[in-house]
Structures are given as C-alpha cells and as structure tokens.
Amino acid sequence: LAPIKLSRYGEDLLFYLYYTHGGDVLQLAAAAELYTRDWRYHKEERVWITRAPGMDPSVKTNSYERGTYYFFDCHGWRKVAKEFHLEYDKLEDRPHLPSSFHHTQSNTGTTPVMVH
C-alpha cells in the first residue's frame, strides 16, 4: 500500500483513527498529526484539547494558563468550548512513531502552541 499522508485529512478522520485503532501504530500516527495541528492530549481529563482560535489565554505562567479551549467530545463527536485552567505538566508529550513509519509523517515545520 502507498504511504498514508495524514496531513491531507481533516480532524474528524484523525479523531476517528485515534479512537478506533487503540494500541496500533495508526493511533500514534493520528495522535502525532493532531499534535502538529496544536491539539494536546490531557492525561488526567483523558481528552484532546486545543486553544479556541483567536483566543489568547487570560492568564499565562511558566506552569499553567487559563483561557477558552476546545475539548473533543468523542461520545458526541463534537468540539466543546470551555473555560479551563490548563497545567502544562498534565499534557502528553508528542507521540513517538516507530522509525519505519516516519516516511508517512508530515513535516509542516509549525511550532506547537502549547509547548514550554
């Protein structure tokens, strides 16, 4: 099969791949692409989160920020906006893909929004 270029696909498909391929390299690849698109996985809430577009945090320190974020609700399959106190150490790091899979990963060169 030809390599899958996840950078071509929308967020709905990426979330679908993430939630339906648990423990598979495709789940890691979807997570890596979501990370590239500024989504982060919150380890305690067990949910994907991103800043609401155009909304800067109301408070920002070296260890946390507070603002409006979108949470991906996998049960309702929608993004839900909420005010939230986000502690950076509660966020999962960028997923590491096996070296055999790197040729399918996009290299967009974008800087993640919530990395410190």
Side-chain angles (χ1 to χ4, degrees):
L1 293 175
I4 298 171
K5 297 194 188 278
L6 293 178
S7 60
R8 295 181 179 175
Y9 299 105
E11 288 176 353
D12 272 344
L13 180 61
L14 295 173
F15 283 120
Y16 176 80
L17 293 173
Y18 178 82
Y19 286 107
T20 60
H21 288 82
D24 191 288
V25 71
L26 202 48
Q27 182 186 42
L28 283 175
E33 182 60 28
L34 286 166
Y35 192 98
T36 297
R37 297 182 191 194
D38 298 330
W39 284 90
R40 300 295 181 267
Y41 192 78
H42 195 285
K43 295 183 273 190
E44 285 186 0
E45 299 290 327
R46 299 177 55 123
V47 68
W48 284 94
I49 181 175
T50 190
R51 279 192 194 135
M55 301 282 293
D56 290 328
S58 56
V59 176
K60 186 171 172 76
T61 72
N62 288 335
S63 59
Y64 72 90
E65 61 186 58
R66 179 180 297 281
T68 303
Y69 303 88
Y70 282 133
F71 289 73
F72 185 76
D73 172 9
C74 67
H75 302 291
W77 211 258
R78 62 193 174 113
K79 296 174 195 168
V80 178
K82 288 194 227 183
E83 274 291 310
F84 190 68
H85 175 93
L86 177 65
E87 296 179 34
Y88 300 132
D89 65 351
K90 303 282 195 288
L91 298 175
E92 196 70 56
D93 293 332
R94 173 182 276 288
H96 297 288
L97 293 169
S99 58
S100 62
F101 201 82
H102 282 296
H103 67 279
T104 63
Q105 187 179 15
S106 70
N107 291 324
T108 61
T110 59
T111 304
V113 173
M114 292 190 257
V115 173
H116 296 277

